[in-house]
Amino acid sequence: MTTQISSTAATPSSTPLETRFWTWQGHRIAYAVQGSGVPLILIHGFGASIGHWRQNIPVLAAAGYRVFAVDLLGFGKSDKPLVDYHLELWQEMLADFWQTHVQEPAVFIGNSIGALLGLMMLANHPDKARAGVLLNAAGGLNHRPEELNWPLRTVMAGFTKLVSSNLVGPFLFNRIRQKPRLRRTLQQVYRDHTAITDELIDLIYEPACDPGAQKVFATILTAPPGPKPEDLLPHISQPLLVLWGEADPWTPITGATLYRELAAQSEQVQFVPIPNAGHCPHDECPERVNIQIIDWLNSQIQHLSSRP
């Protein structure tokens, strides 16, 4: 079963993307694939989907790579069952997806929590991962209590309790997902507001209208934060490209010191700040990000192709 996704990628060789479906543990998972060559697996962030990579997939495929993108369980066109959502669940899904569809070491490319998932794949499944590309990597699925001051910790605890309420939760979620509110939220995290198109709003709004979306949202907000990047990185030996929008208020570049220090110490790690870009530079300034990724991949290609 396939449905068409339009692409705005500026490349004459781009072809329409197809959403395909795969059954995982009884749930329908949406994915897309395009191109041939060394495989890349693209992992979206919270609230996003395959469509968030619409300006990247055709360009990366045209550059000579086999590009996969997956809607994590609970997001996009994938099913939204009421289960315990956590990073380890999605890591298991990605590992099984790799085993079913890829079956050769891939480059994991992720944004926000997708970047943290990419780190987990590199650290915990090195046989499946040639390299990684992180875009504004999250430090966890949720904030850890010690990361928040006391007033904010109290506010967040109260908010998550309300969102999880059977009585108040649906009302709050319905307010949060309204298009004008989504636009205002994106205006906080996109430096270039012209990149906040109606198409982008629809990409986020439509899955939020699916049955089960509110329960998924509430469950994820109360999920454990998962492993810390500083605990994963010592177990990673693969090449790593870290891209960071300098104007990101959600994962500020001031918190990327760990990656900057790694890049200064190791030729395996490259850190590149993206000026005048927010939390999602791959969508806000895709031309700059695509060039950075392709140039880095091409510089690594012999190494990537020779890894077992």
Side-chain angles (χ1 to χ4, degrees):
M1 181 178 180
T2 61
T3 56
Q4 298 293 315
I5 297 178
S6 63
S7 171
T8 59
T11 170
S13 60
S14 65
T15 56
L17 299 176
E18 293 181 343
T19 302
R20 307 182 183 190
F21 293 96
W22 163 63
T23 300
W24 179 69
Q25 297 188 1
H27 308 301
R28 193 174 74 156
I29 302 298
Y31 72 98
V33 58
Q34 189 175 110
S36 60
V38 171
L40 317 178
I41 299 177
L42 278 51
I43 314 168
H44 62 78
F46 181 77
S49 62
I50 292 167
H52 211 199
W53 302 103
R54 67 200 182 284
Q55 302 188 79
N56 315 107
I57 294 172
V59 180
L60 296 173
Y65 296 93
R66 188 179 182 209
V67 187
F68 295 88
V70 186
D71 278 349
L72 298 173
L73 184 70
F75 294 106
K77 290 185 171 66
S78 288
D79 283 349
K80 299 170 181 61
L82 184 56
V83 300
D84 289 332
Y85 288 91
H86 45 78
L87 289 166
E88 290 76 13
L89 173 72
W90 292 318
Q91 177 185 231
E92 182 183 0
M93 191 202 89
L94 289 169
D96 290 345
F97 179 85
W98 180 93
Q99 188 64 50
T100 302
H101 299 285
V102 186
Q103 299 177 352
E104 64 173 295
V107 180
F108 285 84
I109 302 176
N111 171 232
S112 192
I113 63 166
L116 182 55
L117 278 165
L119 278 181
M120 292 171 67
M121 292 301 297
L122 267 68
N124 302 327
H125 296 274
D127 59 315
K128 299 175 175 62
R130 298 176 187 264
V133 178
L134 314 181
L135 296 107
N136 293 59
L141 181 56
N142 290 303
H143 286 292
R144 298 170 179 84
E146 66 272 17
E147 295 172 345
L148 302 174
N149 59 36
W150 179 81
L152 186 55
R153 187 160 63 243
T154 302
V155 169
M156 289 302 297
F159 176 73
T160 54
K161 185 175 181 180
L162 287 174
V163 168
S164 302
S165 164
N166 289 330
L167 182 63
V168 181
F171 170 78
L172 283 178
F173 182 70
N174 186 57
R175 296 290 300 273
I176 291 168
R177 73 180 177 188
Q178 294 303 308
K179 290 184 179 182
R181 189 173 295 271
L182 289 176
R183 189 176 297 274
R184 288 194 295 271
T185 299
L186 289 171
Q187 286 171 350
Q188 297 175 22
V189 294
Y190 275 58
R191 180 63 175 270
D192 179 4
H193 290 180
T194 65
I196 306 172
T197 62
D198 291 343
E199 180 185 28
L200 175 61
I201 298 295
D202 287 342
L203 284 170
I204 300 172
Y205 174 76
E206 289 173 4
C209 296
D210 289 348
Q214 181 265 328
K215 290 293 186 182
V216 170
F217 178 75
T219 302
I220 291 175
L221 281 186
T222 57
K228 296 180 179 180
E230 54 264 38
D231 294 332
L232 294 169
L233 285 164
H235 303 284
I236 293 173
S237 60
Q238 304 96 321
L240 197 61
L241 172 64
V242 183
L243 304 176
W244 214 287
E246 289 185 333
D248 183 359
W250 282 1
T251 54
I253 197 168
T254 53
T257 303
L258 175 63
Y259 299 104
R260 287 186 184 273
E261 292 177 348
L262 274 177
Q265 297 166 6
S266 172
E267 294 182 355
Q268 289 281 85
V269 181
Q270 183 176 349
F271 184 91
V272 180
I274 307 294
N276 300 313
H279 188 63
C280 308
H282 62 292
D283 185 52
E284 187 175 355
C285 48
E287 297 85 1
R288 282 187 281 164
V289 168
N290 289 337
I291 289 171
Q292 289 286 348
I293 293 175
I294 292 168
D295 285 350
W296 182 79
L297 287 174
N298 289 344
S299 72
Q300 297 283 336
I301 193 64
Q302 291 185 347
H303 175 70
L304 296 175
S305 299
S306 64
R307 285 183 67 90

